[in-house]
Amino acid sequence: MDAAAQYRHLVGLGKDEFLAAAAPAALVRYRAVDLGADSGDQTLTIDDAGQETMPIGKVSLGDVINIEVYPLVKKPGASFPDRITIGRTANNDIVLAEASISRLHAYLRRQGAGWVVADGGSKNGSWLRGETLEPRREKPITSRTVLRLGDVDLTFYLAPDLYGVLGGV
């Protein structure tokens, strides 16, 4: 079972069970699927009202949306024990096998009660709310914020907000 299916299952168990079992935060990638052979890979960002906000490519809201969930948890034995690393290679905590993603593209880490994000010195850059992230310069990230890594848009959610996005009431 992939992470999105697991999280949807947890939503069905109720909010308390969801929050007890889910990672404290996650990145979510919204993608259009079944668009035909010449459409390429399409990434979407969906806002709270279910509206497409930052498409890459031409996609209508009527297209089928696939949700990928990347829980912010540390892999056993992975490098940088204080950070959740994101990159193209398998030694990262979150692997995005995309050409625009560097081997070690970015990282997130908890700082007090919040989270921070930084570009890891990537070739194709990172953006937070549309502003360029400087390499290895941490910036606070809040729930429901769009993080762009290379050509990939991800939305950062704290667990309680993710519960609502996945249909919990």
Side-chain angles (χ1 to χ4, degrees):
M1 179 182 323
D2 69 356
Q6 179 181 0
Y7 272 61
R8 284 190 177 115
H9 171 74
L10 290 173
V11 166
L13 299 176
K15 188 170 188 174
D16 291 338
E17 288 81 2
F18 181 90
L19 295 176
L27 294 172
V28 175
R29 184 178 186 187
Y30 300 95
R31 299 212 284 181
V33 295
D34 298 327
L35 296 175
D38 61 345
S39 65
D41 188 26
Q42 306 293 325
T43 299
L44 308 174
T45 299
I46 308 297
D47 67 14
D48 294 339
Q51 301 295 312
E52 173 185 357
T53 58
M54 294 177 66
I56 298 174
K58 295 179 182 177
V59 179
S60 73
L61 289 176
D63 293 321
V64 178
I65 304 298
N66 181 35
I67 296 176
E68 297 172 7
V69 177
Y70 301 97
L72 296 183
V73 294
K74 195 72 192 155
K75 271 187 191 175
S79 300
F80 307 106
D82 63 332
R83 302 171 188 179
I84 307 295
T85 60
I86 306 167
R88 189 179 67 235
T89 57
N91 62 331
N92 287 285
D93 300 300
I94 296 174
V95 177
L96 298 173
E98 304 281 340
S100 67
I101 302 295
S102 295
R103 287 180 282 180
L104 171 59
H105 198 101
Y107 68 87
L108 291 112
R109 71 177 183 84
R110 287 188 99 156
Q111 184 176 49
W115 288 80
V116 293
V117 62
D119 182 273
S122 67
K123 178 181 174 188
N124 292 316
S126 302
W127 297 264
L128 180 63
R129 291 187 269 329
E131 294 182 25
T132 303
L133 287 175
E134 294 179 39
R136 291 167 288 288
R137 188 153 221 175
E138 296 177 347
K139 295 283 186 178
I141 187 169
T142 57
S143 194
R144 301 178 185 270
T145 300
V146 175
L147 174 64
R148 183 172 194 143
L149 306 177
D151 293 332
V152 177
D153 287 338
L154 302 160
T155 305
F156 173 82
Y157 290 102
L158 294 174
D161 293 330
L162 183 57
Y163 176 77
V165 167
L166 295 177
V169 287

